[in-house]
């Protein structure tokens, strides 16, 4: 018997409890669905090494299909980059400072390209880890479907599917390389890039130039649509270096290769890798080596590393160490990129930056 003479019927209590549970379920199911859909799109949205990674039971992915989608993503991102530049409304901002005190810039071109590239890849390959340079706004999701067509030039070079476990894959997206130069309207330096690493090793890379609509791609042990030049000057190389994050690179280059060496300052890590290759684009300068001495991020260099490796070249730290494209998003040891040369001999010539204070 309840107080004040009110009798509680067991049936009434059961109905009341069921109703309460129903209300709770309704409230929480929406919340949980939201959380799970976010996980499906690569976990925590946002720049940097985003998300909890691929599910352990994510099955396999075909690298040839990943290459097709990567090319599509780089071209679609590039369309955004071009559209924003041509509108002249860049909404330029600083994300902060680099370690050396330069502005780390971002524009609408970076953000819109990032969104296109991320969602194209994430929708096609929901189980792989994707790291993008810019923040992805989860409230502004976009489902961009891939039509499952592999372009003829890829099919011609890579005859069979190349399956790997989804959990072994890390994708790196640079939605706009050479943002500094983009803001200065130096269009030739600008690229969009996608890289796919397997167990940390760069396997396929795409570098796209949106303003000349040129795209280079390559897959290690697969094929490519670009090749090395026939010869390189190893003795007095033309060296392409950063124009806006140079550090002491000129001193290092001249000290190593002598005063006869030509230094070519240029924007963008993608542009500088293309400078080492046989690229038909008229706006592209040519160089024999690419050296960088300051800190740099993996989305800036992974695609170039994969392409050079696929063509028999090398990209390592200045001490000759291979770069692993998992985990942290930056590398400390500088960069040396070469093709058609004895890379280890070049490493041997370079000074130890820690000792000489050239870092
Ligand atoms: N010291 C540094 N710290 C952070 N990012 C750097 C850097 N040096 C180069 N980068 C980034 O690497 C890319 C190529 O640099 P550079 O043109 O100077 O050679 C640029 O990428 P984004 O334009 O994608 O930001 C640039 O911001
Ligand atoms: Mg960028």
């Amino acid at each position: 018997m309840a107080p004040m003479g009110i009798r509680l019927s067991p049936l009434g209590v059961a109905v009341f409890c069921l109703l309460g549970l129903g209300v709770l379920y309704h409230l929480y199911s929406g919340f949980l669905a939201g959380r799970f859909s976010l996980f499906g799109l690569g976990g925590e949205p946002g720049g940097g090494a985003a998300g909890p990674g691929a599910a352990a039971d994510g099955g396999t992915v075909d690298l040839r299909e990943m290459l097709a989608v990567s090319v599509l993503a780089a071209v679609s991102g590039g369309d955004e980059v071009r559209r924003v530049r041509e509108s002249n409304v860049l909404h330029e901002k600083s994300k902060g400072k680099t370690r050396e005190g330069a502005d780390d810039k971002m524009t609408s071109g970076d953000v819109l390209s990032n969104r296109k590239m991320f969602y194209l890849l994430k929708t096609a390959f929901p189980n792989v880890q994707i790291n993008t340079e810019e923040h992805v706004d989860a409230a502004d999701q976009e489902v961009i479907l891939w039509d499952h067509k592999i372009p003829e030039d890829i099919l011609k070079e890579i005859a069979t599917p190349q399956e790997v476990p989804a959990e072994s894959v890390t994708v790196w997206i640079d939605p706009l390389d050479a943002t500094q130069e983009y803001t200065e309207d130096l269009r030739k330096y600008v690229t969009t890039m996608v890289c796919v690493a397997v167990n940390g090793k760069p396997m396929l890379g795409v570098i796209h130039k949106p303003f000349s609509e040129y795209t280079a791609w390559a897959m290690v042990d697969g094929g490519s649509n670009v090749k090395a030049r026939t010869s390189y000057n190893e003795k007095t190389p033309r060296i392409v270096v950063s124009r806006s994050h140079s550090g002491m690179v000129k001193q290092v280059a001249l000290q190593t290769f002598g005063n006869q060496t030509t230094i070519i300052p240029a924007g963008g890590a993608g542009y500088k890798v293309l400078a080492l290759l046989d690229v038909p684009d008229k706006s592209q300068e040519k160089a024999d080596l690419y050296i960088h001495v300051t800190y740099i991020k993996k989305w800036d260099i992974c695609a170039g590393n994969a392409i050079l490796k696929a063509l028999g070249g090398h990209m390592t730290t200045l001490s000759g160490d291979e770069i692993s494209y998992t985990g942290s998003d930056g590398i400390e040891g500088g960069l040396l990129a070469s093709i058609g040369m004895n890379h280890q001999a070049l490493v041997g010539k370079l000074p130890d930056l820690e000792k000489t204070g050239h870092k």
Side-chain angles (χ1 to χ4, degrees):
M1 173 80 73
M4 314 218 15
I6 299 167
R7 285 188 60 194
L8 293 176
S9 111
L11 185 65
V13 171
V15 168
F16 183 77
C17 287
L18 274 174
L19 274 173
L21 279 173
V23 169
L24 279 175
Y25 173 78
H26 188 71
L27 282 175
Y28 276 90
S29 61
F31 170 75
L32 290 175
R35 297 303 292 175
F36 283 126
S37 70
L38 206 59
F39 271 90
L41 285 167
E44 181 189 320
D57 60 352
T60 61
V61 287
D62 172 11
L63 289 180
R64 192 172 62 162
E65 289 190 349
M66 290 208 84
L67 175 58
V69 181
S70 299
V71 169
L72 189 63
V75 172
S76 309
D79 291 344
E80 297 294 304
V81 166
R82 210 174 45 245
R83 196 169 56 75
V84 170
R85 186 58 264 183
E86 279 160 8
S87 76
N88 262 333
V89 186
L90 266 60
H91 296 116
E92 183 182 330
K93 280 191 209 129
S94 174
K95 290 187 277 185
K97 298 273 182 201
T98 66
R99 293 177 182 186
E100 296 77 27
D103 268 326
D104 189 5
K105 286 188 181 165
M106 186 183 73
T107 67
S108 294
D110 297 71
V111 175
L112 295 172
S113 170
N114 195 65
R115 179 168 179 260
K116 273 268 170 332
M117 293 177 75
F118 176 80
Y119 283 116
L120 240 168
L121 281 151
K122 198 69 212 179
T123 312
F125 303 102
N127 293 328
V128 305
Q129 166 85 34
I130 302 183
N131 298 336
T132 63
E133 177 168 4
E134 308 303 342
H135 179 81
V136 180
D137 187 352
D140 190 22
Q141 285 181 19
E142 187 176 359
V143 175
I144 314 173
L145 294 178
W146 172 50
D147 62 7
H148 278 264
K149 287 201 181 107
I150 300 179
E152 277 304 317
D153 60 339
I154 294 180
L155 288 175
K156 218 173 100 202
E157 285 286 314
I158 308 164
T160 52
Q162 312 281 319
E163 301 282 339
V164 294
E167 68 208 51
S168 66
V169 168
T170 314
V171 178
W172 296 88
I173 296 177
D174 191 336
L176 201 171
D177 183 40
T179 300
Q180 172 60 44
E181 286 71 23
Y182 183 68
T183 64
E184 296 176 50
D185 208 10
L186 298 171
R187 301 181 182 199
K188 70 175 181 185
Y189 296 129
V190 173
T191 62
T192 58
M193 296 192 274
V194 182
C195 179
V196 175
V198 177
N199 295 321
K201 293 191 166 56
M203 277 302 287
L204 62 91
V206 178
I207 305 179
H208 173 67
K209 294 179 97 172
F211 297 101
S212 37
E213 305 203 30
Y214 168 76
T215 310
W217 59 258
M219 183 193 290
V220 175
D221 298 328
S224 69
N225 73 342
V226 59
K227 52 187 186 345
R229 297 203 303 273
T230 44
S231 68
Y232 293 88
N233 187 341
E234 201 159 346
K235 225 161 154 217
T236 45
R238 287 166 296 170
I239 305 177
V240 68
V241 303
S242 169
R243 67 183 280 283
S244 51
H245 304 86
S246 57
M248 302 292 272
V249 70
K250 284 179 197 164
Q251 289 84 334
V252 170
L254 294 177
Q255 187 186 327
T256 311
F257 297 99
N259 289 333
Q260 293 308 306
T261 303
T262 309
I263 306 284
I264 306 169
Y271 179 89
K272 290 195 268 291
V273 167
L274 293 180
L276 306 183
L277 303 176
D278 185 8
V279 167
D281 178 28
K282 282 194 213 74
S283 66
Q284 180 70 55
E285 292 155 289
K286 299 207 182 309
D288 300 303
L289 278 183
Y290 168 22
I291 301 181
H292 191 82
V293 301
T294 63
Y295 180 74
I296 195 158
K297 301 285 183 68
K298 289 179 184 170
W299 41 73
D300 295 311
I301 57 172
C302 183
N305 194 340
I307 293 178
L308 284 171
K309 191 171 172 188
L311 302 181
H314 301 271
M315 180 185 279
T316 63
T317 66
L318 292 169
S319 358
D321 297 325
E322 295 292 335
I323 299 155
S324 170
Y325 294 94
T326 51
S328 71
D329 60 18
I331 64 150
E332 305 279 350
L335 271 190
L336 174 67
S338 76
I339 187 161
M341 294 193 194
N342 181 342
H343 192 84
Q344 273 315 312
L346 294 167
V347 168
K349 280 190 184 174
L350 285 164
D352 183 334
L353 295 191
E354 298 291 350
K355 281 193 196 136
T356 56
H358 276 154
K359 237 180 132 178

